[in-house]
Amino acid sequence: MVETLSSSPSIWRFNHRRWFPALFSSYKTLFALLWIVVFASLFIWQRNFVDGISIFRRPLPFRPLPRFRPVVFNLTDFGAVGDGVTVNTLAFEKAVFTISKLGKKGGGQLNVPAGRWLTAPFNLTSHMTLFLAEDSVILGLDDEKYWPLMPPLPSYGYGREHPGARYGSLIHGQNLKDVVITGHNGTIDGQGQTWWKKYRQKLLNHTRGPLVQIMYSSDILISNITLRDSPFWTLHPYDCKNVTIRNMTILAPLFEAPNTDGIDPDSCEDMLIEDCYISVGDDAIAIKSGWDQYGVAYGRPSKNILIRNLVVRSMVSAGISIGSEMSGGISNVRVENVLVWNSRRAVRIKTAAGRGAYIEDISYKNLTFENVRVGIIIKTDYNEHPDMGFDPKAFPVIRGISYSSIHGEGRTIFPKPCENLDLYDEQGTLVKKSVSENASDIDYDI
């Protein structure tokens, strides 16, 4: 209902000819009015100035959570308690189960509010958005008895660290479509310190699990969150299509956090990784596609992958790696606009006899290496094998590799590029043909 005011001329009509002469008939009245105006202006200016200064002392206003799905839930709706002590696995499972019934309605969104939400591993469902609010932390239980065991990946035939079963991931998904994990830079924390210590002490009987693993799925978006301290590989998309990973921060200690790769696309197709900061205890990014005869038999390549606008660091391995498990093939990969800093190696291709398959059509463009020990490596004797069933004559084919606009500085260049690499000018014309093979093993060890 809209209220209206009467338009009666006798009440609301303003007659300036009668009011102005009466108001300003005395100079004293005019003088007093001017002082009121000046005082009011000073008061308003002072209040605005103080308020402007005080924004540096007050916390920023609460950011409302966006709504991405027609139905939205809060984790506390399912009894969760974010005190860092209460185990909330059942709450996550109930929430996911509820959302799994909403696929025909467009799915559901689960908001994780500020707090520390301790949980064992749980699964996602299709048509789901997991939204981590600012200052929210999903904490993984660091006791392996709460982590389910899964069969080895079919393209590996082995648990990677131990034969047989492997631990699942903290956040897991299989055979899914239309999944979003995002937020206001909330955090998923794997609390990997216990896992790393047990691994070094050889106290684990199964391969450690990733922090986030999505398998056999499509239409996946992961953005605007922090992943840290994974027990093993941090973010592992496996046999997925149409995956976008952007605006991510991925962290693990640079040392004594074994195999904490940042992002490992594995037998994935049509993938974008952009605008991320990654500093971890192994490869920042490692593109894979299966291990020796198991990868050859599985036959799923990684292809059509664009990696751009990253800042990465790795003091143990490399900034961007391809392999070493590449037995399903890797092709059409573009790496551009990447800063690799304070790292042992910058970009590396690693394979071995027994892998088979191919690495082809790989381009590196506009890369900057800052305080990097070795810039570019292609290594063909990375001799890790799941078992002795591999074919030693299955030699991988490497072709169509290009590097352009590579910027860096160092005290030593080895081997001399003019002798061991084809040299081209800026127009792409061959200036000098390589005259020898690269036989050096400088820092090519694991």
Side-chain angles (χ1 to χ4, degrees):
M1 181 176 68
V2 179
E3 295 185 356
T4 61
L5 294 175
S6 170
S7 60
S8 171
S10 62
I11 299 177
W12 299 106
R13 181 173 298 171
F14 181 73
N15 191 330
H16 65 278
R17 293 182 180 179
R18 294 174 55 192
W19 279 91
F20 276 105
L23 181 63
F24 296 113
S25 60
S26 169
Y27 73 91
K28 293 182 180 180
T29 305
L30 178 60
F31 188 77
L33 183 61
L34 290 174
W35 266 113
I36 293 172
V37 172
V38 171
F39 181 81
S41 299
L42 288 171
F43 176 79
I44 294 171
W45 173 84
Q46 183 183 35
R47 185 182 65 180
N48 289 342
F49 179 79
V50 172
D51 287 346
I53 294 296
S54 66
I55 66 171
F56 297 100
R57 298 194 299 266
R58 294 200 303 256
L60 292 173
F62 172 75
R63 287 193 290 177
L65 302 183
R67 183 186 184 98
F68 296 113
R69 303 284 183 178
V71 182
V72 179
F73 302 99
N74 193 303
L75 185 60
T76 55
D77 297 338
F78 301 91
V81 179
D83 58 6
V85 178
T86 304
V87 178
N88 296 290
T89 312
L90 185 59
F92 277 106
E93 291 175 343
K94 287 181 178 179
V96 173
F97 178 78
T98 301
I99 292 172
S100 71
K101 305 299 182 181
L102 301 173
K104 293 182 179 179
K105 298 180 179 180
Q109 176 173 324
L110 176 61
N111 292 332
V112 181
R116 296 172 64 82
W117 309 92
L118 187 65
T119 181
F122 64 92
N123 294 324
L124 302 178
T125 188
S126 293
H127 310 294
M128 175 180 179
T129 295
L130 178 65
F131 191 96
L132 280 69
E134 188 174 15
D135 297 324
S136 68
V137 182
I138 297 177
L139 287 171
L141 278 167
D142 60 1
D143 187 339
E144 68 270 19
K145 71 181 180 183
Y146 293 99
W147 288 58
L149 290 175
M150 302 182 65
L153 295 169
S155 60
Y156 285 68
Y158 187 93
R160 194 58 182 84
E161 295 176 336
H162 294 276
R166 61 189 177 92
Y167 290 108
S169 56
L170 178 63
I171 297 179
H172 191 82
Q174 285 189 208
N175 302 302
L176 305 182
K177 185 177 179 62
D178 178 25
V179 174
V180 177
I181 304 175
T182 189
H184 285 154
N185 199 33
T187 298
I188 302 173
D189 187 337
Q191 300 200 97
Q193 295 82 357
T194 300
W195 292 92
W196 308 331
K197 182 178 180 180
K198 289 182 178 180
Y199 170 77
R200 291 193 298 268
Q201 295 175 346
K202 302 185 184 303
L203 297 177
L204 296 172
N205 296 319
H206 305 283
T207 299
R208 293 166 288 153
L211 187 63
V212 178
Q213 185 178 61
I214 309 294
M215 304 173 59
Y216 317 122
S217 300
S218 63
D219 304 331
I220 309 299
L221 170 62
I222 304 175
S223 67
N224 300 306
I225 59 173
T226 294
L227 305 178
R228 67 178 308 134
D229 295 344
S230 174
F232 189 57
W233 298 343
T234 303
L235 177 52
H236 185 212
Y238 179 84
D239 198 351
C240 292
K241 295 182 179 180
N242 192 22
V243 179
T244 298
I245 300 170
R246 62 161 57 104
N247 297 327
M248 297 289 292
T249 301
I250 301 178
L251 305 171
L254 293 175
F255 299 103
E256 298 185 351
N259 306 106
T260 50
D261 296 16
I263 304 173
D264 284 4
D266 203 339
S267 294
C268 287
E269 180 179 345
D270 300 334
M271 187 168 185
L272 171 64
I273 302 172
E274 65 179 357
D275 303 326
C276 298
Y277 176 84
I278 306 173
S279 176
V280 288
D282 208 297
D283 295 312
I285 293 178
I287 302 175
K288 304 176 181 292
S289 67
W291 202 6
D292 286 2
Q293 71 272 25
Y294 302 104
V296 172
Y298 192 67
R300 299 284 199 283
S302 281
K303 61 182 180 180
N304 307 334
I305 298 174
L306 173 58
I307 300 169
R308 64 186 180 191
N309 307 333
L310 306 186
V311 177
V312 299
R313 179 169 62 159
S314 171
M315 283 301 295
V316 171
S317 193
I320 311 289
S321 286
I322 294 179
S324 73
E325 308 93 331
M326 41 64 63
S327 300
I330 297 175
S331 67
N332 193 24
V333 176
R334 292 167 52 196
V335 180
E336 58 188 38
N337 304 331
V338 174
L339 168 63
V340 185
W341 70 288
N342 285 13
S343 296
R344 187 174 182 179
R345 307 175 186 89
V347 293
R348 176 167 66 162
I349 294 173
K350 45 184 177 176
T351 68
R355 296 286 193 270
Y358 53 86
I359 296 174
E360 62 184 14
D361 299 330
I362 315 295
S363 67
Y364 301 89
K365 181 179 180 181
N366 194 23
L367 309 185
T368 300
F369 306 154
E370 180 178 313
N371 193 24
V372 171
R373 184 174 176 184
V374 181
I376 298 172
I377 297 176
I378 298 179
K379 179 178 174 63
T380 59
D381 60 348
Y382 201 88
N383 289 313
E384 285 186 323
H385 304 282
D387 52 44
M388 298 308 296
F390 69 94
D391 178 3
K393 296 183 179 180
F395 300 112
V397 174
I398 302 174
R399 61 193 172 203
I401 315 298
S402 68
Y403 304 85
S404 62
S405 299
I406 310 298
H407 310 274
E409 60 182 41
R411 291 170 295 180
T412 304
I413 299 176
F414 187 91
K416 294 181 180 180
C418 292
E419 295 179 1
N420 298 87
L421 299 175
D422 292 343
L423 182 63
Y424 292 82
D425 62 18
E426 294 183 356
Q427 286 70 44
T429 303
L430 181 64
V431 174
K432 185 176 181 180
K433 183 72 175 175
S434 62
V435 296
S436 64
E437 294 183 358
N438 181 0
S440 169
D441 62 351
I442 178 174
D443 204 34
Y444 286 4
D445 59 321
I446 294 174

